[in-house]
């Protein structure tokens, strides 16, 4: 290092070094600001990390390098004997120099201010949902699109994906850098794998807003379905989901939310990365005793570090990014009247157009249009059918990212995916083989209040619950999802 007042320090007095010094100072200032945001912000995100610990230091070192390059150039000048170096001389007795100095100081202050504003703005931008969802345009499009029509469309990405606190923040930061690199190199996985391995326990995310002690009670839901036949025959099931009564003490919660009752602890082991098969389940009761249930062919002990405690995410795993199955989307369009039920085979034809293999979105839109225009060319409604089909495709199919309902299981029910039946299939038994996991009868989770295709059938309400009537087809010894694929029913 050259002492500042030494003879040599004057070699720093050149334009390149001066610019380098300003850049380095501004970068250092930006770093301090980002560091403060990082430490004090209520919630932060990985991109502050990228800015603060990568971008700002890069500019700092760049500026420092310029400082020394300027120095070396000057020294070369001096050594080569080509006369005196072009020193930046400042003589405060000269009014021109005083003006330059004033200008320089004012410019420097303005530069620092602009840096501060820039950093703050960038910070707010990177924290925004817009940034998470749209900046990495292609990879995030599916999740962002689904999110915008989810119940959580106003909840920030960071509230579920990062939450607050140091440990996950650091993890997210490292992950953010990794994501940025794989986006830049275009080598991210398609579809993006799930579940997200470092997603935090629901306690730190969902439960910041949803209070587990506040129970939901029973919820009535009506499922409007339409068969894939010529008449698009409606088939409706109206049922009461026993989520958990809200008038009991939290520790006595029963029903579907029994699993998150504070005194129950359910743990499980899933060998497959998507957690779709669960051969081992352990319940720890309030008195500390445990019960273990195993699937018939599973005799082993699970690896201890892969046992997961069940939380909200094991059922509500698609709270913000649900890609609707084509069967469901088309049913919704028929139910709301956007698709006309009187058009013969419309359910079946629209589903078929949606699920044909396409490589790009443009190709899909084109061919969906061609196929439906061919089929319904004589109908005055042909353009509206095409528009509805294309809209459904746009909302829930992302061929470039290979993302659609098939890529992302939804664990909340049991019709298209194993869901609850991963454990409640009546086959998971205690070691002595005497008892299966309780709550596995059709009526343990819900009661069918009414069902059928006609007004008359649907007005026969039952307070005890009807036995499910299943379109004459047998289903009892098979899991629903072996036939119900979300598109056509396999027979
Ligand atoms: C209500 C909570 C919540 C919000 C808000 C949320 N996510 Fe997610 N996200 C999740 C959960 C839970 C998963 C894991 C899904 C699973 O395990 O099946 C996930 C998964 C993902 C995945 C992995 C791929 C996939 O579909 O499973 C991406 C990418 C993603 N989210 C991006 C985003 C972006 C971008 C935003 C903001 C626009 C966002 N998320 C907002 C809860 C949320
Ligand atoms: C920042 C607050 C916030 C966070 C975090 C949050 N939620 Fe929500 N959630 C809400 C609000 C608000 C609603 C109600 C939306 C409405 O009724 O339109 C809601 C609705 C829901 C619903 C009912 C959805 C429906 O179909 O009507 C479920 C289930 C749910 N959240 C689960 C979750 C899960 C699981 C997580 C964690 C991955 C989570 N939430 C994280 C605020 C939040
Ligand atoms: C065993 C599976 C399971 C677990 C675990 C679970 N839920 Fe639920 N939850 C359900 C089902 C099924 C419903 C019925 C409503 C539905 O279909 O969305 C429901 C309903 C809800 C509702 C009411 C939705 C509405 O429309 O009013 C909220 C909110 C909710 N859950 C939040 C949570 C939160 C928060 C957690 C974690 C603390 C959690 N759930 C854990 C299965 C589960
Ligand atoms: C990881 C395994 C697992 C999954 C997945 C699972 N459960 Fe359970 N569930 C259990 C266990 C274990 C019990 C306790 C049974 C017992 O003690 O006999 C239970 C109990 C229940 C009960 C009875 C509660 C009571 O009041 O006694 C209901 C209802 C229930 N579950 C509904 C659901 C629903 C709905 C889903 C899917 C959204 C689901 N479960 C998913 C393991 C699971
Ligand atoms: C462990 C709890 C549980 C058991 C046992 C169970 N269900 Fe369900 N079922 C659910 C849940 C939760 C949903 C709601 C899924 C949703 O809203 O996404 C559901 C949805 C349904 C639906 C509506 C499906 C649709 O999308 O049109 C039908 C019909 C149904 N169940 C029938 C049955 C029959 C028949 C049985 C017995 C063989 C049964 N369930 C056993 C939890 C259960
Ligand atoms: C052996 C195959 C098979 C099994 C197993 C099966 N289904 Fe079905 N299901 C069918 C067929 C076939 C239809 C008629 C489909 C059509 O015409 O569109 C149907 C229709 C339905 C419908 C009305 C139409 C629709 O697309 O939603 C519901 C609801 C339904 N099944 C629920 C269930 C439930 C819940 C289970 C599990 C308890 C189940 N099914 C198991 C074959 C099966």
């Amino acid at each position: 290092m050259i002492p500042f007042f030494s003879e040599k320090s004057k070699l720093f007095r050149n334009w390149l070094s001066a610019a380098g010094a300003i850049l380095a100072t501004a970068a250092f200032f930006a770093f301090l600001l980002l560091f403060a945001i990082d430490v004090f912000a209520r919630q932060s995100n990985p991109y502050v990390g990228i800015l603060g610990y990568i971008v700002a230091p890069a500019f700092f070192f760049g500026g420092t390098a310029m400082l020394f390059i300027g120095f070396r150039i000057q020294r070369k000048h001096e050594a080569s004997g080509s006369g005196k170096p072009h020193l930046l001389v400042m003589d405060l007795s000269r009014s021109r120099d005083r003006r330059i100095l004033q200008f320089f100081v004012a410019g420097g202050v303005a530069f620092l201010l602009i840096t501060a504003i820039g950093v703050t703005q960038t910070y707010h931008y990177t924290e925004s949902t817009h940034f998470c969802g749209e900046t990495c345009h292609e990879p995030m499009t599916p999740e962002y699109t689904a999110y915008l029509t989810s119940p959580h469309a106003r909840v920030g990405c960071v509230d579920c994906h990062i939450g607050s606190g140091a440990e996950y923040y650091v993890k997210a930061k490292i992950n953010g850098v990794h994501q940025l690199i794989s986006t830049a190199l275009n080598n991210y996985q398609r579809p993006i794998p799930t579940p997200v391995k470092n997603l935090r326990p629901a306690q730190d995310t969902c439960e910041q807003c949803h209070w587990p002690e506040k129970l939901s009670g029973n919820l009535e839901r009506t499922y409007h379905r339409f068969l894939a036949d010529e008449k698009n025959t409606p088939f409706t099931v109206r049922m009461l989901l026993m989520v958990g009564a809200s008038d009991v003490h939290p520790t006595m919660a029963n029903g579907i939310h029994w699993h998150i009752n504070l005194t129950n602890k359910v743990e499980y082991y899933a060998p497959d990365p998507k957690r779709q098969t669960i051969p081992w389940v352990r319940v720890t009761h309030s008195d500390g005793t445990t019960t273990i249930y195993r699937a018939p062919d599973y005799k082993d002990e699970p690896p201890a570090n892969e046992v997961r405690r069940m939380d909200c995410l094991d059922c509500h795993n698609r709270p913000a990014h649900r890609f609707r199955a084509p069967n469901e989307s088309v049913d919704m369009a028929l139910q709301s009247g956007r698709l006309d039920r009187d058009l013969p085979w419309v359910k079946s034809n629209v589903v078929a157009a949606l699920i044909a293999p396409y490589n790009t979105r443009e190709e899909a839109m084109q061919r969906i249009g061609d196929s439906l225009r061919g089929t319904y060319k004589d109908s005055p409604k042909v353009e509206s059918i095409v528009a509805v089909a294309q809209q459904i495709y746009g909302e829930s199919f992302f061929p470039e990212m290979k993302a659609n309902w098939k890529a992302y299981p939804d664990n909340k029910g049991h019709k298209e995916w194993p869901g609850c039946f991963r454990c409640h299939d009546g086959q998971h038994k205690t070691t002595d083989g005497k008892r299966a996991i309780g709550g596995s009868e059709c009526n343990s989770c819900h009661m069918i209040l009414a069902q059928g295709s006609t007004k008359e059938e649907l007005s026969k309400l039952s307070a005890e619950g009807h036995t499910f009537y299943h379109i004459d087809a047998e289903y009892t010894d098979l899991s629903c999802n072996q036939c119900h694929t979300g598109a056509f029913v396999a027979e």
Side-chain angles (χ1 to χ4, degrees):
M1 204 55 208
I2 304 109
F4 195 72
F5 293 109
S6 81
E7 182 55 18
K8 284 206 161 159
S9 75
K10 71 174 189 286
L11 295 180
F12 280 114
R13 287 199 248 137
N14 63 75
W15 287 112
L16 189 63
S17 296
I22 295 174
L23 194 64
T25 313
F28 183 67
F29 188 62
F31 165 78
L32 286 183
L33 208 69
L34 284 162
F35 183 72
I37 289 175
D38 196 359
V39 173
F40 296 112
R42 183 185 61 90
Q43 265 186 359
S44 204
N45 73 56
Y47 304 98
V48 174
I50 298 178
L51 289 174
Y53 305 117
I54 297 180
V55 179
F59 275 98
F60 178 77
F61 289 116
T64 316
M66 279 161 70
L67 191 77
F68 282 98
I69 291 169
F71 173 80
R72 296 202 69 179
I73 293 174
Q74 290 291 59
R75 197 167 60 181
K76 253 195 179 158
H77 253 287
E78 203 180 44
S80 70
S82 59
K84 285 236 155 214
H86 302 289
L87 282 190
L88 202 62
V89 191
M90 183 79 46
D91 181 353
L92 291 184
S93 63
R94 288 200 305 222
S95 74
R96 178 177 162 271
D97 284 16
R98 276 201 305 276
R99 254 184 287 124
I100 292 181
L101 188 68
Q102 275 165 4
F103 179 75
F104 210 78
V105 169
V109 170
F111 188 65
L112 289 185
L113 268 176
I114 291 168
T115 313
I117 294 170
V119 164
T120 326
Q121 287 300 334
T122 316
Y123 166 71
H124 282 302
Y125 178 62
T126 59
E127 202 194 33
S128 70
T129 301
H130 181 269
F131 175 80
C132 302
E134 290 187 339
T135 305
C136 312
H137 198 74
E138 180 174 307
M140 292 294 158
T141 311
E143 279 70 28
Y144 187 56
T145 310
Y147 159 88
L148 289 177
T149 55
S150 81
H152 293 101
R154 294 261 168 98
V155 175
C157 316
V158 289
D159 288 329
C160 291
H161 283 279
I162 298 172
S164 52
E167 183 197 341
Y168 281 86
Y169 178 43
V170 172
K171 277 193 192 170
K173 196 173 300 184
I174 295 166
N175 203 23
V177 175
H178 170 78
Q179 284 168 7
L180 200 74
I181 294 168
S182 51
T183 307
L185 299 178
N186 195 22
N187 67 354
Y188 45 84
Q189 280 171 274
R190 300 172 178 84
I192 297 177
T194 211
V196 183
K197 282 278 156 19
N198 52 9
L199 208 60
R200 303 178 64 162
Q203 220 177 350
D204 304 333
T205 54
C206 320
E207 292 179 23
Q208 298 298 309
C209 295
H210 298 281
W211 198 40
E213 291 90 332
K214 149 106 188 33
L215 303 166
S216 305
N218 294 339
L219 291 176
E220 196 188 310
R221 286 274 154 94
T222 306
Y223 299 81
H224 296 278
R225 305 297 180 196
F226 296 86
L227 304 190
D229 59 8
E230 184 176 355
K231 289 198 175 127
N232 314 302
T233 310
F235 179 77
T236 301
V237 179
R238 190 173 148 192
M239 50 186 210
L240 199 62
L241 288 163
M242 272 86 97
V243 180
S246 57
D247 52 356
V248 292
H249 190 267
T251 57
M252 287 165 63
N254 51 14
I256 297 175
H257 276 175
W258 173 89
H259 313 74
I260 51 165
N261 178 327
L262 303 175
T263 60
N264 298 328
K265 182 172 166 194
V266 180
E267 293 161 301
Y268 71 85
Y269 165 58
D272 67 315
K274 292 199 172 190
R275 302 185 184 144
Q276 292 302 292
T277 45
I278 297 183
W280 183 93
V281 181
R282 177 170 61 200
V283 180
T284 307
H285 309 281
S286 50
D287 59 2
T289 56
T290 60
T291 313
I292 290 175
Y293 301 92
R294 283 188 169 79
D297 45 356
Y298 190 78
K299 304 274 178 284
D300 307 334
E301 286 302 322
N305 59 346
E306 284 184 39
V307 171
R308 179 180 151 86
R309 178 165 188 179
M310 193 170 174
D311 67 21
C312 321
L313 297 175
D314 292 298
C315 301
H316 299 282
N317 65 328
R318 311 299 305 168
H321 322 289
R322 190 154 168 268
F323 301 108
R324 282 204 181 85
N327 191 42
E328 186 186 342
S329 303
V330 179
D331 285 346
M332 281 169 65
L334 284 162
Q335 167 61 20
S336 65
R338 283 186 298 137
L339 271 181
D340 185 350
R341 279 181 230 170
D342 294 335
L343 291 159
W345 297 104
V346 74
K347 161 93 194 247
S348 169
N349 286 332
V350 174
V351 171
L354 290 169
I355 61 172
Y358 306 115
N359 293 316
T360 63
R361 173 160 297 223
E362 286 69 43
E363 182 198 345
M365 294 303 182
Q366 182 66 41
R367 288 181 48 201
I368 288 170
D370 293 349
S371 107
L372 292 171
R373 282 192 190 97
T375 315
Y376 294 104
K377 55 180 177 301
D378 300 328
S379 164
K381 304 222 168 90
V382 58
E383 285 311 316
S384 84
I385 304 171
V386 170
V388 168
Q390 289 177 335
Q391 189 200 349
I392 292 175
Y393 194 91
E395 281 171 0
S396 41
F397 290 76
F398 303 86
E400 287 86 356
M401 284 303 295
K402 300 189 177 15
N404 59 36
W405 93 102
K406 274 203 132 73
Y408 297 109
D410 183 343
N411 296 330
K412 205 176 63 184
H414 55 78
K415 195 166 149 223
E416 281 89 19
W417 295 101
C420 316
F421 287 6
R422 291 174 298 169
C423 299
H424 291 281
D425 60 353
Q427 304 293 314
H428 286 64
K429 295 199 170 136
T430 48
T431 320
D432 58 13
K434 288 211 178 109
R435 216 173 78 77
I437 291 180
S440 303
E441 303 297 316
C442 298
N443 277 351
S444 337
C445 305
H446 47 62
M447 226 161 53
I448 296 179
L449 301 177
Q451 60 186 336
S453 304
T454 61
K455 262 211 166 87
E456 293 70 53
E457 284 172 319
L458 288 171
S459 55
K460 287 193 197 112
L461 285 179
S462 163
E464 273 108 55
H466 291 287
T467 306
F468 182 48
Y469 160 72
H470 185 253
I471 332 282
D472 303 328
E474 270 309 317
Y475 65 85
T476 36
D477 52 349
L478 278 176
S479 317
C480 319
N481 72 303
Q482 284 179 273
C483 297
H484 289 276
T485 62
F488 287 111
V489 179
E491 281 173 86

